[in-house]
């Protein structure tokens, strides 16, 4: 099995990376990570992704799509005039963090890479907690992308999103169990020295460790 993994350096995709590594039993099994720069606020997550991929001994390619940033206005992640909202993900203002069609952009590039590698699947770490805010993390979207993946080329690829029905707490617990280096991952939407502790991503990260009954080793900004 050859897999192209959309890898951000965050808690979810790092857990998926280690899960896929655990499934590599055959000499031809292989994981190729793609990390995307689409003009997001900071490259902090990419440096964390690089460090973890190196530790895991997995090839990681950084795909620079930074020139599309001016096309993605209205999102706090790609538009400096929009402030990063603070609080929980289920609050309406968290919609400001949605980057237009981001997962389809990344999946499209990952599918092209998978086809050229003759890989069997593209994996990404959408999870149940994303459904409320992010349409491109919902089961119907994954199903539709699987339909597209079956039609876009002669070579068939599967879109795998194994955490689709999981909470982030489930992912943290599983990641810890399989030895994923969760403390080295980056979640924060702001690109400061340490996690801000207040944005939606930080709030969700804290909750995940709490619900999983785990110690959170993340360094947060002092308030
Ligand atoms: Zn934060």
């Amino acid at each position: 099995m050859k897999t192209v993994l959309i890898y951000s350096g965050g808690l979810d995709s790092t857990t998926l990376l280690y899960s896929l590594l655990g499934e590599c039993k055959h000499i031809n099994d292989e994981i190729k990570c793609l990390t995307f720069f689409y003009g997001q606020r900071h490259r902090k997550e990419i440096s964390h992704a690089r460090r973890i991929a190196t530790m895991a001994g997995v090839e990681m390619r950084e795909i620079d799509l930074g020139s599309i940033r001016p096309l993605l206005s209205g999102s706090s992640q790609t538009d400096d005039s929009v402030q990063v909202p603070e609080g929980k993900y289920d609050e309406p203002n968290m919609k400001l963090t949605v980057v237009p069609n981001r997962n389809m952009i990344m999946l499209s590039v990952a599918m092209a890479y998978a086809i050229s590698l003759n890989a069997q699947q593209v994996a990404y770490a959408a999870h149940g907690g994303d459904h409320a805010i992010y349409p491109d993390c919902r089961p119907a979207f994954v199903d539709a992308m699987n339909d597209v993946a079956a039609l876009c080329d002669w070579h068939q690829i599967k879109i795998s999103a194994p955490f689709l029905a999981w909470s982030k707490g489930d992912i943290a617990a599983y990641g810890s169990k399989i030895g994923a280096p969760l403390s080295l991952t980056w979640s924060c939407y702001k690109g400061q020295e340490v996690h801000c502790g207040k944005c939606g991503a930080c709030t969700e990260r804290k909750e995940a460790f709490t619900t999983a009954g785990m110690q959170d080793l993340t360094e947060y900004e002092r308030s």
Side-chain angles (χ1 to χ4, degrees):
M1 176 76 91
K2 211 180 265 186
T3 302
V4 174
L5 171 66
I6 297 176
Y7 183 52
S8 71
L11 191 153
D12 311 320
S13 62
T14 297
T15 298
L16 185 49
L17 169 61
Y18 276 72
S19 176
L20 289 165
L21 280 169
E23 289 169 20
C24 286
K25 307 282 186 212
H26 189 268
I27 191 149
N28 290 327
D29 289 343
E30 204 175 3
I31 299 156
K32 305 273 194 185
C33 292
L34 288 185
T35 300
F36 288 85
F37 180 70
Y38 46 86
Q40 60 265 49
R41 269 179 186 268
H42 58 82
R43 290 178 183 265
K44 194 103 186 171
E45 59 194 356
I46 297 175
S47 64
H48 283 246
R50 171 84 52 208
R51 184 174 166 201
I52 296 168
T54 304
M55 264 177 52
V58 174
E59 180 188 294
M60 178 192 123
R61 287 178 182 228
E62 185 182 331
I63 309 305
D64 190 351
L65 299 177
S67 62
I68 66 172
R69 180 184 165 95
L71 310 182
L72 306 176
S73 59
S75 167
S76 64
Q77 302 319 107
T78 49
D79 184 340
D80 284 337
S81 70
V82 183
Q83 270 203 338
V84 177
E86 296 183 347
K88 293 178 73 143
Y89 261 131
D90 47 9
E91 288 166 17
N93 66 349
M94 282 298 151
K95 286 214 168 91
L96 291 171
T97 66
V98 176
V99 177
N101 205 22
R102 175 174 61 181
N103 284 346
M104 190 153 149
I105 293 167
M106 297 193 294
L107 282 167
S108 187
V109 174
M111 284 158 64
Y113 185 38
I115 290 166
S116 60
L117 283 175
N118 231 9
Q120 286 76 35
Q121 65 174 1
V122 168
Y124 82 120
H127 66 85
D130 291 331
H131 296 178
I133 297 294
Y134 300 106
D136 54 4
C137 292
R138 294 176 187 159
F141 174 80
V142 177
D143 288 346
M145 287 308 294
N146 262 305
D147 289 344
V148 170
L151 293 170
C152 68
D153 192 80
W154 297 272
H155 178 71
Q156 302 275 302
I157 320 157
K158 182 185 159 210
I159 308 297
S160 173
F163 300 154
L164 211 49
W166 294 27
S167 72
K168 204 175 180 87
D170 295 335
I171 296 172
Y174 175 59
S176 164
K177 191 175 144 206
I178 62 173
L182 302 184
S183 62
L184 301 181
T185 62
W186 184 267
S187 299
C188 186
Y189 281 148
K190 302 175 187 176
Q192 302 168 166
E193 192 57 36
V194 296
H195 283 72
C196 79
K198 294 181 189 134
C199 72
C202 282
T203 306
E204 195 196 31
R205 181 182 176 96
K206 285 179 174 176
E207 278 180 4
F209 285 118
T210 304
T211 56
M214 293 165 59
Q215 191 185 3
D216 184 355
L217 298 172
T218 314
E219 189 182 349
Y220 296 102
E221 188 183 36
R222 288 177 196 202
S223 51

